[in-house]
Amino acid sequence: METQFLTSLDEYFCAQYSDYVKLSALEGYEMPDVVSVGANGSIERKSSEVMRLCYQKNCGALLAKFKEGLADTEFTFNFLFRPFRDRMRDPFRKFTFAKVLPEALSHSGETAESAGEKLNISPKIWQKIVKGKLYPEKNTVIALALVTGMQQADVNNLMNVQGYTFEKESVRDIICEYLLKNGIFNTDMRDRCLAEYKINTLPIKRAEQAGDRNEAV
């Protein structure tokens, strides 16, 4: 029972992950038939979803091999510089990250200040993001949602205004989407899920970093 949440996470991942190049390269992966012959003799193409791990007979063994080769390659800086065109347009836009952020945080009982204390981001950089002088990278938005226990609708709003989506080809996106959808915000459970899939570049302040904020960006 203790690790049931990890089992559920694995099942979700196997049903969602769609980088078929990486999946088909796994030793023991059996390429399914992606075409079939209809009753009238016509050739019909099946959905590419049949290639996902959940449809493999040896799903568990393949997932174990997949995990062995995992490495977090989603590193980015915590922010993006705003293009000149956006700097000119932002004051007239109804929805920008900086404008949507306060309400999203309030739904989780957080403020920009309290949320920033849970992120491993320079306070100066975080304040510029809050004020709209810099844009947050996708890693930053996801980390923010996780550390504040953000509601799914608010997560979607913050992602949308930045032009981000949760991608089925990204291990990080699938694991973090699972945590957010299922409201898994307990620190130990969250960190175990992230560690299970080698996700270690999110700017989340760990317990050992409390009181010692990393100024690097």
Side-chain angles (χ1 to χ4, degrees), residues 90-108:
D90 276 1
F92 305 99
R93 289 174 174 167
K94 183 176 181 180
F95 301 109
T96 66
F97 185 86
K99 292 177 181 177
V100 174
L101 180 61
E103 183 177 1
L105 290 175
S106 70
H107 292 161
S108 301

Side-chain angles (χ1 to χ4, degrees), residues 79-95:
F79 64 91
L80 294 169
F81 288 107
R82 296 187 308 164
F84 176 78
R85 181 177 60 181
D86 288 342
R87 293 203 303 270
M88 296 298 101
R89 292 179 177 178
D90 276 1
F92 305 99
R93 289 174 174 167
K94 183 176 181 180
F95 301 109

Side-chain angles (χ1 to χ4, degrees), residues 34-189:
V34 294
V35 296
S36 61
V37 179
N40 59 357
S42 63
I43 301 298
E44 299 177 356
R45 186 173 182 83
K46 297 179 182 179
S47 168
S48 59
E49 290 187 7
V50 300
M51 297 177 65
R52 297 182 181 179
L53 281 180
C54 60
Y55 295 104
Q56 293 285 307
K57 294 180 180 179
N58 55 342
C59 175
L62 288 172
L63 179 60
K65 290 181 180 179
F66 182 84
K67 288 181 179 180
E68 289 176 2
L70 280 176
D72 195 340
T73 60
E74 301 281 5
F75 171 78
T76 63
F77 288 106
N78 296 322
F79 64 91
L80 294 169
F81 288 107
R82 296 187 308 164
F84 176 78
R85 181 177 60 181
D86 288 342
R87 293 203 303 270
M88 296 298 101
R89 292 179 177 178
D90 276 1
F92 305 99
R93 289 174 174 167
K94 183 176 181 180
F95 301 109
T96 66
F97 185 86
K99 292 177 181 177
V100 174
L101 180 61
E103 183 177 1
L105 290 175
S106 70
H107 292 161
S108 301
E110 299 277 358
T111 64
E113 181 179 1
S114 65
E117 292 174 351
K118 299 177 181 180
L119 295 170
N120 190 30
I121 298 177
S122 159
K124 292 181 180 179
I125 294 299
W126 175 242
Q127 281 303 309
K128 288 183 178 181
I129 292 174
V130 170
K131 294 178 180 179
K133 295 181 179 180
L134 295 172
Y135 286 154
E137 253 288 8
K138 189 174 182 179
N139 251 3
T140 302
V141 179
I142 291 175
L144 174 66
L146 288 174
V147 300
T148 59
M150 194 170 287
Q151 297 178 17
Q152 189 66 48
D154 292 321
V155 178
N156 293 339
N157 287 338
L158 290 177
M159 293 280 281
N160 289 338
V161 296
Q162 283 300 109
Y164 301 143
T165 59
F166 286 102
E167 301 171 6
K168 300 303 183 184
E169 298 84 8
S170 167
V171 174
R172 175 203 62 190
D173 285 13
I174 290 177
I175 302 308
C176 293
E177 185 178 37
Y178 171 85
L179 294 174
L180 292 166
K181 280 185 174 180
N182 290 278
I184 300 177
F185 302 122
N186 173 276
T187 301
D188 291 336
M189 293 175 67

